[in-house]
Amino acid sequence: VKTRGLENIRAIDISEANRMGYRLKHLAQAKNDNGTVSLTVEPVLLKKDHPFSSVKNEFNVVSITGDVVDELRFYGKGAGKDATANAVVNDVMDIVEAVQEGRYLEPPALDKEIELNENKAFDGEYYIRILENNSKNLSLQEILDNVESVAPIKSVNNTDGIVYVFTRKVNAYKLDKMIADLGLGPDEVFYARIISD
């Protein structure tokens, strides 16, 4: 699963997101297209009025969209001391019970094979923050040329040596590859897909 954490987020990203009317969130997504599954876990920008924007602290929300049922949402505690302690105690009790009964807990088996498609099914506009004085000595023009090689640029702001780029719609896989090819360190670049629906 293509996973990007939150360690590259800086206060300036939160301020910039807030200024634009967004909130930064960590989102996992999966999409099944006739047995071909695309997966991603990444920072995203959600509009402040998006239902997921208000999910905070130890709470999580899971949204499932089906052909017949449309969208179903499940909301509740998924972390934090009480929820985590409860899950750990339940797991320990299941193990103790299984040992006492002389049975072994086996992981569930998948009943069919799936084809993984990395994160190729996800598209969106992007917010990108790159240091102009970076370890690869990329100029502003080189940075913009690299971004434009995969996505049309919507706007650019260069403030105090930090370049903020907003793209038009681009495939997540292509943008990930372009950023990786830049070879910049984790403190030099941050990007998040903008989810507007």
Side-chain angles (χ1 to χ4, degrees):
V1 177
K2 174 68 179 177
T3 303
R4 288 191 302 114
L6 303 173
E7 62 273 7
N8 294 0
I9 295 174
R10 300 295 175 258
I12 193 71
D13 300 314
I14 296 168
S15 296
E16 191 68 14
N18 192 50
R19 184 188 67 75
M20 298 182 306
Y22 290 96
R23 286 203 174 100
L24 267 164
K25 294 291 181 180
H26 205 216
L27 183 70
Q29 285 184 286
K31 187 172 186 180
N32 183 351
D33 186 17
N34 296 321
T36 300
V37 178
S38 294
L39 305 159
T40 183
V41 180
E42 63 182 331
V44 297
L45 290 174
L46 298 171
K47 279 282 191 195
K48 287 182 180 178
D49 61 355
H50 190 284
F52 296 174
S53 286
S54 60
V55 178
K56 295 179 180 163
N57 303 323
E58 71 271 24
F59 288 90
N60 289 319
V61 64
V62 175
S63 171
I64 300 169
T65 304
D67 294 336
V68 178
V69 297
D70 200 23
E71 184 183 21
L72 301 172
R73 289 186 190 152
F74 304 90
Y75 174 81
K77 288 185 176 183
K81 64 180 182 178
D82 293 336
T84 302
N86 183 57
V88 170
V89 169
N90 280 333
D91 289 348
V92 169
M93 295 306 293
D94 286 344
I95 293 167
V96 168
E97 187 178 286
V99 169
Q100 287 175 342
E101 294 174 2
R103 62 183 170 84
Y104 295 97
L105 300 172
E106 292 192 23
L110 293 174
D111 61 350
K112 63 181 178 181
E113 288 192 26
I114 58 173
E115 179 184 337
L116 290 179
N117 197 30
E118 300 188 37
N119 60 344
K120 293 177 182 172
F122 304 106
D123 297 320
E125 296 181 347
Y126 275 83
Y127 159 80
I128 307 169
R129 173 195 32 87
I130 302 178
L131 287 182
E132 189 173 12
N133 296 322
N134 53 72
S135 60
K136 297 295 181 181
N137 295 316
L138 294 170
S139 69
L140 175 58
Q141 191 57 53
E142 288 173 309
I143 291 169
L144 298 178
D145 288 346
N146 275 282
V147 173
E148 282 196 311
S149 72
V150 295
I153 292 177
K154 193 174 187 176
S155 67
V156 177
N157 182 5
N158 186 357
T159 306
D160 299 326
I162 301 174
V163 180
Y164 302 94
V165 180
F166 297 89
T167 74
R168 299 218 180 266
K169 196 170 185 180
V170 60
N171 181 265
Y173 179 81
K174 289 180 180 177
L175 191 83
D176 280 347
K177 184 171 179 349
M178 183 276 296
I179 296 284
D181 288 347
L182 291 177
L184 297 174
D187 288 335
E188 298 178 302
V189 64
F190 171 75
Y191 61 108
R193 186 160 44 102
I194 300 170
I195 298 182
S196 53
D197 53 359

